[in-house]
Protein backbone atom coordinates (compact mmCIF):
# COMPACT_ATOMS: atom_id res chain seq x y z
CA UNK A 1 0.00 0.00 0.00
CA UNK A 2 2.88 2.36 0.78
CA UNK A 3 4.46 1.62 -2.61
CA UNK A 4 1.12 2.13 -4.42
CA UNK A 5 0.54 5.40 -2.53
CA UNK A 6 3.99 6.68 -3.50
CA UNK A 7 3.38 5.67 -7.18
CA UNK A 8 0.08 7.57 -7.14
CA UNK A 9 1.77 10.53 -5.41
CA UNK A 10 -0.35 10.12 -2.25
CA UNK A 11 0.50 10.42 1.41
CA UNK A 12 2.12 7.09 2.47
CA UNK A 13 -0.15 7.05 5.52
CA UNK A 14 -3.35 7.61 3.51
CA UNK A 15 -6.43 5.49 4.08
CA UNK A 16 -7.48 2.52 1.97
CA UNK A 17 -10.47 4.48 0.70
CA UNK A 18 -8.21 7.29 -0.59
CA UNK A 19 -5.89 4.73 -2.17
CA UNK A 20 -8.85 2.95 -3.84
CA UNK A 21 -10.23 6.23 -5.20
CA UNK A 22 -6.82 7.15 -6.65
CA UNK A 23 -6.41 3.69 -8.20
CA UNK A 24 -9.90 3.87 -9.80
CA UNK A 25 -9.08 7.27 -11.27
CA UNK A 26 -5.76 5.98 -12.64
CA UNK A 27 -7.41 2.89 -14.15
CA UNK A 28 -10.09 5.11 -15.74
CA UNK A 29 -7.40 7.25 -17.39
CA UNK A 30 -5.66 4.13 -18.68
CA UNK A 31 -8.94 2.83 -20.16
CA UNK A 32 -9.63 6.19 -21.79
CA UNK A 33 -6.11 6.24 -23.24
CA UNK A 34 -6.60 2.71 -24.64
CA UNK A 35 -9.91 3.74 -26.21
CA UNK A 36 -8.27 6.80 -27.76
CA UNK A 37 -5.50 4.62 -29.24
CA UNK A 38 -8.08 2.21 -30.73
CA UNK A 39 -10.08 5.11 -32.19
CA UNK A 40 -6.92 6.66 -33.67
CA UNK A 41 -5.96 3.33 -35.23
CA UNK A 42 -9.40 2.93 -36.84
CA UNK A 43 -9.28 6.46 -38.22
CA UNK A 44 -5.80 5.84 -39.62
CA UNK A 45 -6.96 2.61 -41.30
CA UNK A 46 -9.94 4.43 -42.86
CA UNK A 47 -7.71 7.26 -44.11
CA UNK A 48 -5.20 4.84 -45.61
CA UNK A 49 -7.99 2.83 -47.31
CA UNK A 50 -9.46 6.03 -48.80
CA UNK A 51 -6.04 7.12 -50.10
CA UNK A 52 -5.42 3.69 -51.60
CA UNK A 53 -8.78 3.87 -53.41
CA UNK A 54 -7.99 7.36 -54.74
CA UNK A 55 -4.56 6.21 -55.89
CA UNK A 56 -6.06 3.21 -57.71
CA UNK A 57 -8.62 5.45 -59.43
CA UNK A 58 -5.89 7.91 -60.46
CA UNK A 59 -3.72 5.11 -61.84
CA UNK A 60 -6.71 3.75 -63.81
CA UNK A 61 -7.42 7.21 -65.23
CA UNK A 62 -3.75 7.63 -66.09
CA UNK A 63 -3.71 4.31 -67.96
CA UNK A 64 -6.83 5.32 -69.90
CA UNK A 65 -5.28 8.69 -70.80
CA UNK A 66 -2.05 7.04 -71.97
CA UNK A 67 -4.02 4.65 -74.18
CA UNK A 68 -6.04 7.53 -75.63
CA UNK A 69 -2.91 9.59 -76.33
CA UNK A 70 -1.28 6.62 -78.07
CA UNK A 71 -4.38 6.05 -80.22
CA UNK A 72 -4.63 9.72 -81.19
CA UNK A 73 -0.90 9.85 -82.01
CA UNK A 74 -1.29 6.88 -84.35
CA UNK A 75 -4.35 8.43 -86.01
CA UNK A 76 -2.51 11.75 -86.43
CA UNK A 77 0.46 10.01 -88.05
CA UNK A 78 -1.87 8.12 -90.42
CA UNK A 79 -3.70 11.31 -91.37
CA UNK A 80 -0.38 13.08 -92.03
CA UNK A 81 0.78 10.24 -94.27
CA UNK A 82 -2.53 10.24 -96.16
CA UNK A 83 -2.33 14.01 -96.69
CA UNK A 84 1.24 13.70 -98.01
CA UNK A 85 0.20 10.91 -100.41
CA UNK A 86 -2.79 12.99 -101.59
CA UNK A 87 -0.55 16.00 -102.27
CA UNK A 88 1.90 13.84 -104.25
CA UNK A 89 -0.91 12.28 -106.31
CA UNK A 90 -2.48 15.67 -106.99
CA UNK A 91 0.84 17.15 -108.11
CA UNK A 92 1.31 14.29 -110.58
CA UNK A 93 -2.22 14.74 -111.95
CA UNK A 94 -1.73 18.50 -112.42
CA UNK A 95 1.56 17.90 -114.25
CA UNK A 96 -0.17 15.40 -116.54
CA UNK A 97 -2.85 17.95 -117.41
CA UNK A 98 -0.23 20.61 -118.11
CA UNK A 99 1.61 18.22 -120.43
CA UNK A 100 -1.65 17.60 -122.31
CA UNK A 101 -2.19 21.34 -122.80
CA UNK A 102 1.38 21.77 -124.11
CA UNK A 103 0.88 18.87 -126.50
CA UNK A 104 -2.37 20.35 -127.79
CA UNK A 105 -0.63 23.66 -128.43
CA UNK A 106 2.04 21.89 -130.47
CA UNK A 107 -0.61 20.07 -132.49
CA UNK A 108 -2.42 23.34 -133.17
CA UNK A 109 0.75 25.01 -134.42
CA UNK A 110 1.50 22.02 -136.65
CA UNK A 111 -2.01 22.12 -138.12
CA UNK A 112 -1.78 25.85 -138.80
CA UNK A 113 1.52 25.37 -140.59
CA UNK A 114 0.41 22.36 -142.63
CA UNK A 115 -2.90 23.73 -143.85
CA UNK A 116 -3.06 25.56 -147.20
CA UNK A 117 -5.21 28.55 -148.04
CA UNK A 118 -7.64 26.77 -150.39
CA UNK A 119 -11.35 26.95 -149.44
CA UNK A 120 -11.37 23.25 -148.60
CA UNK A 121 -8.29 23.63 -146.43
CA UNK A 122 -9.68 26.78 -144.81
CA UNK A 123 -12.88 24.90 -143.93
CA UNK A 124 -10.84 22.00 -142.58
CA UNK A 125 -8.66 24.42 -140.68
CA UNK A 126 -11.70 26.11 -139.13
CA UNK A 127 -13.17 22.75 -138.13
CA UNK A 128 -9.86 21.67 -136.64
CA UNK A 129 -9.49 24.96 -134.81
CA UNK A 130 -13.02 24.58 -133.46
CA UNK A 131 -12.23 21.05 -132.32
CA UNK A 132 -8.92 22.20 -130.87
CA UNK A 133 -10.60 25.01 -128.92
CA UNK A 134 -13.21 22.58 -127.62
CA UNK A 135 -10.45 20.23 -126.46
CA UNK A 136 -8.61 23.14 -124.82
CA UNK A 137 -11.82 24.22 -123.10
CA UNK A 138 -12.34 20.65 -121.88
CA UNK A 139 -8.74 20.52 -120.67
CA UNK A 140 -9.10 23.85 -118.81
CA UNK A 141 -12.37 22.63 -117.27
CA UNK A 142 -10.64 19.42 -116.16
CA UNK A 143 -7.79 21.45 -114.65
CA UNK A 144 -10.22 23.79 -112.84
CA UNK A 145 -12.17 20.80 -111.56
CA UNK A 146 -8.96 19.18 -110.32
CA UNK A 147 -7.84 22.39 -108.61
CA UNK A 148 -11.25 22.78 -106.94
CA UNK A 149 -11.15 19.17 -105.72
CA UNK A 150 -7.60 19.63 -104.44
CA UNK A 151 -8.49 22.82 -102.58
CA UNK A 152 -11.49 21.09 -101.00
CA UNK A 153 -9.39 18.07 -99.97
CA UNK A 154 -6.70 20.35 -98.54
CA UNK A 155 -9.30 22.32 -96.56
CA UNK A 156 -10.79 19.08 -95.17
CA UNK A 157 -7.35 17.70 -94.28
CA UNK A 158 -6.38 20.97 -92.56
CA UNK A 159 -9.64 20.95 -90.59
CA UNK A 160 -9.08 17.32 -89.52
CA UNK A 161 -5.49 18.01 -88.50
CA UNK A 162 -6.54 21.11 -86.54
CA UNK A 163 -9.28 19.18 -84.73
CA UNK A 164 -6.97 16.28 -83.92
CA UNK A 165 -4.26 18.69 -82.71
CA UNK A 166 -6.77 20.44 -80.41
CA UNK A 167 -8.00 17.09 -79.04
CA UNK A 168 -4.44 15.90 -78.51
CA UNK A 169 -3.57 19.12 -76.68
CA UNK A 170 -6.52 18.70 -74.33
CA UNK A 171 -5.61 15.07 -73.68
CA UNK A 172 -1.99 16.00 -72.96
CA UNK A 173 -3.18 18.64 -70.47
CA UNK A 174 -5.51 16.11 -68.81
CA UNK A 175 -2.70 13.55 -68.68
CA UNK A 176 -0.37 16.06 -66.98
CA UNK A 177 -3.07 16.94 -64.42
CA UNK A 178 -3.74 13.25 -63.71
CA UNK A 179 -0.01 12.61 -63.31
CA UNK A 180 0.29 15.55 -60.92
CA UNK A 181 -2.70 14.31 -58.87
CA UNK A 182 -1.27 10.77 -58.77
CA UNK A 183 2.08 12.17 -57.61
CA UNK A 184 0.38 14.08 -54.77
CA UNK A 185 -1.63 11.01 -53.73
CA UNK A 186 1.56 8.93 -53.83
CA UNK A 187 3.31 11.43 -51.55
CA UNK A 188 0.35 11.39 -49.11
CA UNK A 189 0.41 7.59 -49.11
CA UNK A 190 4.15 7.59 -48.39
CA UNK A 191 3.61 10.06 -45.55
CA UNK A 192 0.96 7.71 -44.14
CA UNK A 193 3.48 4.84 -44.37
CA UNK A 194 1.42 2.84 -46.88
CA UNK A 195 3.29 -0.34 -47.86
CA UNK A 196 3.82 -1.80 -51.37
CA UNK A 197 3.05 1.42 -53.24
CA UNK A 198 3.18 1.06 -57.06
CA UNK A 199 5.96 2.98 -58.80
CA UNK A 200 4.68 6.17 -60.43
CA UNK A 201 5.86 6.27 -64.10
CA UNK A 202 7.95 9.20 -65.29
CA UNK A 203 6.24 12.10 -67.06
CA UNK A 204 7.82 12.32 -70.54
CA UNK A 205 7.63 16.09 -71.04
CA UNK A 206 9.44 16.04 -74.42
CA UNK A 207 7.14 13.34 -75.85
CA UNK A 208 4.02 15.14 -74.63
CA UNK A 209 5.29 18.40 -76.15
CA UNK A 210 5.88 16.67 -79.50
CA UNK A 211 2.37 15.18 -79.41
CA UNK A 212 0.72 18.50 -78.51
CA UNK A 213 2.78 20.48 -81.07
CA UNK A 214 3.79 18.11 -83.91
CA UNK A 215 4.71 21.03 -86.20
CA UNK A 216 6.98 22.77 -83.66
CA UNK A 217 10.69 22.95 -84.52
CA UNK A 218 12.98 21.05 -82.08
CA UNK A 219 15.22 23.12 -79.80
CA UNK A 220 18.83 22.39 -80.75
CA UNK A 221 20.13 23.21 -77.27
CA UNK A 222 17.67 20.84 -75.60
CA UNK A 223 18.51 18.12 -78.12
CA UNK A 224 22.21 18.47 -77.33
CA UNK A 225 21.50 18.19 -73.63
Amino acid sequence: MRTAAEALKLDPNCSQEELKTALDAALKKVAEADASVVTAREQAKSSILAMEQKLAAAQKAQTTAETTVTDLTTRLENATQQAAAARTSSAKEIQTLKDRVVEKDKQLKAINTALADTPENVLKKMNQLKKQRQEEADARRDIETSFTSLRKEKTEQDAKLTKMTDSTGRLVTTYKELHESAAKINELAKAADVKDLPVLPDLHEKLLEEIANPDAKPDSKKDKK
Side-chain angles (χ1 to χ4, degrees):
M1 289 179 61
R2 182 181 294 276
T3 301
E6 291 176 354
L8 294 173
K9 297 181 181 181
L10 298 175
D11 186 356
N13 296 321
C14 66
S15 65
Q16 291 185 359
E17 186 64 26
E18 291 176 341
L19 180 59
K20 182 177 181 302
T21 302
L23 284 172
D24 290 341
L27 291 175
K28 183 178 180 181
K29 289 181 179 180
V30 171
E32 290 176 350
D34 289 341
S36 298
V37 169
V38 171
T39 302
R41 286 178 179 176
E42 293 298 327
Q43 291 177 350
K45 288 181 180 179
S46 299
S47 298
I48 291 172
L49 180 60
M51 285 190 292
E52 288 177 345
Q53 292 175 348
K54 290 181 179 179
L55 180 59
Q59 289 174 341
K60 182 178 180 180
Q62 179 181 345
T63 301
T64 302
E66 289 175 348
T67 302
T68 304
V69 169
T70 301
D71 179 62
L72 284 176
T73 302
T74 302
R75 291 170 59 186
L76 180 60
E77 291 176 353
N78 292 336
T80 303
Q81 293 176 358
Q82 291 176 359
R87 286 194 293 269
T88 301
S89 176
S90 299
K92 290 181 179 180
E93 185 177 353
I94 291 172
Q95 186 60 45
T96 300
L97 292 173
K98 288 181 178 179
D99 293 341
R100 287 177 58 186
V101 173
V102 171
E103 184 64 26
K104 293 296 182 182
D105 288 338
K106 290 180 180 179
Q107 292 177 2
L108 179 60
K109 290 179 181 179
I111 291 173
N112 291 334
T113 302
L115 290 176
D117 292 332
T118 60
E120 294 81 7
N121 289 335
V122 171
L123 184 59
K124 291 180 180 179
K125 184 177 180 180
M126 291 178 64
N127 291 333
Q128 290 176 350
L129 284 173
K130 184 177 180 181
K131 181 180 180 182
Q132 183 68 29
R133 289 176 181 175
Q134 183 62 43
E135 290 176 352
E136 289 176 357
D138 293 340
R140 283 195 297 270
R141 186 166 55 254
D142 292 340
I143 292 174
E144 290 175 356
T145 302
S146 297
F147 275 128
T148 302
S149 178
L150 286 173
R151 284 194 293 267
K152 182 178 179 181
E153 290 178 2
K154 184 179 183 300
T155 301
E156 292 175 353
Q157 290 294 336
D158 290 343
K160 289 180 180 179
L161 289 175
T162 300
K163 184 177 180 181
M164 292 182 68
T165 300
D166 293 341
S167 298
T168 303
R170 290 195 295 271
L171 282 173
V172 168
T173 300
T174 303
Y175 176 76
K176 288 182 178 179
E177 292 174 353
L178 287 173
H179 191 278
E180 183 179 356
S181 299
K184 290 181 180 179
I185 294 173
N186 205 327
E187 291 298 326
L188 291 174
K190 287 181 179 179
D193 198 22
V194 178
K195 304 298 182 181
D196 300 328
L197 284 173
V199 178
L200 187 66
D202 294 333
L203 183 65
H204 299 288
E205 291 285 350
K206 184 177 179 182
L207 176 60
L208 293 176
E209 187 64 24
E210 291 175 354
I211 292 174
N213 300 293
D215 296 329
K217 295 182 179 180
D219 190 344
S220 59
K221 294 182 179 180
K222 291 182 179 180
D223 290 343
K224 290 181 180 179
K225 290 182 180 181

